[in-house]
Amino acid sequence: MTAARPALFSIHDVMPSTLEATESIAATLRRSGIHKFTLLVVPGTGWDDDSLDRLRSLHAGGADLAGHGWRHRVERIRGFGHWLHSTFISRDVAEHLALDRDGVIELMQACYDWFDASKLPQPALYVPPAWAMGRARRTDLDRLPYRRYETLSGIYDAEKRRFQRTPMIGFEADTPFRALACRVWNRLNLARRHRPVRFSIHPRDPELLLGDDLARLIEGDWIDLYYTDPLAVPAR
């Protein structure tokens, strides 16, 4: 018998327009026995009193909250590297890549401050849109108020000044090519059993091409974790 595996579950792109889908995914996770999961909240997307109340209700039900950019949208592509990232990975959501170093730091701080201004718990975790941190340096992250940061390859613990490579699986596949690429990626990362696995879930994933894969995998034998749990970034 295979032992239960630690896993971190996150729902990305939480904003007023995706709250219904977020609530549905959260209910599905709970029915599957997953009660620890993290909502990646995008502050600058038109939150009002009703949508904030719904977010507070999700938090009261056990969901942790994390910062996730500001608008999750870019107005311009900055340089060839950003163009490549936009074309093959992020499309138009990697807003850090459109900013200089100071702009990235200001955005991250504004994201953190929004939670307090909205009477929400201030987040311990920050995840840049499309996992693209941009020009921010580790020393910048150490000075910001977040405890941990997630990128495509792993989790950075700013308190311990330590980065941990951590496998991740995703399901955001709206074309056959993306579905094939995600399946190969997921298979490779699920095989890396020496670390917790990160489930990256986007609001439309249940209705996209890998929806069945997502439904099957969350029914697995998992030890659900928050990103702030010690096992999320285990000691060496």
Side-chain angles (χ1 to χ4, degrees):
M1 179 181 294
T2 303
R5 181 175 182 180
L8 301 105
F9 295 84
S10 61
I11 304 175
H12 287 231
D13 308 349
V14 177
M15 56 187 81
S17 62
T18 65
L19 268 177
E20 184 175 353
T22 298
E23 290 162 341
S24 176
I25 294 169
T28 298
L29 292 174
R30 292 189 185 107
R31 286 195 298 270
S32 301
I34 298 161
H35 298 282
K36 291 183 175 183
F37 54 90
T38 302
L39 306 181
L40 276 50
V41 181
V42 186
T45 50
W47 292 89
D48 58 17
D49 289 343
D50 176 66
S51 56
L52 284 170
D53 283 344
R54 291 167 70 183
L55 184 59
R56 293 186 188 103
S57 179
L58 285 162
H59 173 66
D64 200 7
L65 304 181
H68 191 46
W70 185 255
R71 288 191 303 162
H72 207 266
R73 189 72 59 190
V74 299
E75 295 180 354
R76 67 189 182 106
I77 301 298
R78 179 172 175 157
F80 182 66
H82 188 184
W83 178 83
L84 285 174
H85 198 280
S86 176
T87 300
F88 295 104
I89 300 175
S90 61
R91 295 177 177 168
D92 61 350
V93 305
E95 56 188 325
H96 280 217
L97 298 184
L99 300 171
D100 60 17
R101 181 185 177 194
D102 288 341
V104 171
I105 295 167
E106 289 171 7
L107 182 152
M108 295 171 72
Q109 183 66 57
C111 177
Y112 185 87
D113 293 341
W114 176 87
F115 284 81
D116 186 51
S118 302
K119 297 181 172 59
L120 291 164
Q122 291 173 311
L125 173 72
Y126 183 83
V127 184
W131 300 281
M133 193 63 76
R135 290 166 174 79
R137 302 171 185 171
R138 288 266 176 95
T139 53
D140 300 324
L141 304 185
D142 295 341
R143 289 194 296 268
L144 284 162
Y146 303 96
R147 288 171 54 194
R148 289 184 175 176
Y149 301 85
E150 182 185 60
T151 61
L152 191 63
S153 56
I155 301 168
Y156 177 63
D157 186 326
E159 291 185 327
K160 298 178 180 177
R161 306 291 198 271
R162 184 161 65 84
F163 179 79
Q164 178 67 68
R165 291 191 176 275
T166 311
M168 179 179 65
I169 60 175
F171 309 89
E172 193 179 25
D174 56 358
T175 67
F177 173 77
R178 282 182 172 243
L180 176 61
C182 280
R183 279 204 172 105
V184 172
W185 172 272
N186 291 350
R187 189 174 299 116
L188 291 172
N189 279 278
L190 286 168
R192 297 167 59 194
R193 297 194 59 85
H194 62 294
R195 299 290 183 200
V197 63
R198 294 175 286 156
F199 275 71
S200 166
I201 306 171
H202 289 78
R204 293 182 57 221
D205 285 356
E207 64 191 59
L208 295 180
L209 297 175
L210 297 186
D212 289 343
D213 291 27
L214 172 61
R216 174 178 54 82
L217 282 167
I218 64 175
E219 291 295 336
D221 194 8
W222 305 106
I223 301 170
D224 48 328
L225 303 172
Y226 293 124
Y227 278 78
T228 50
D229 287 344
L231 277 177
V233 185
R236 296 186 194 278

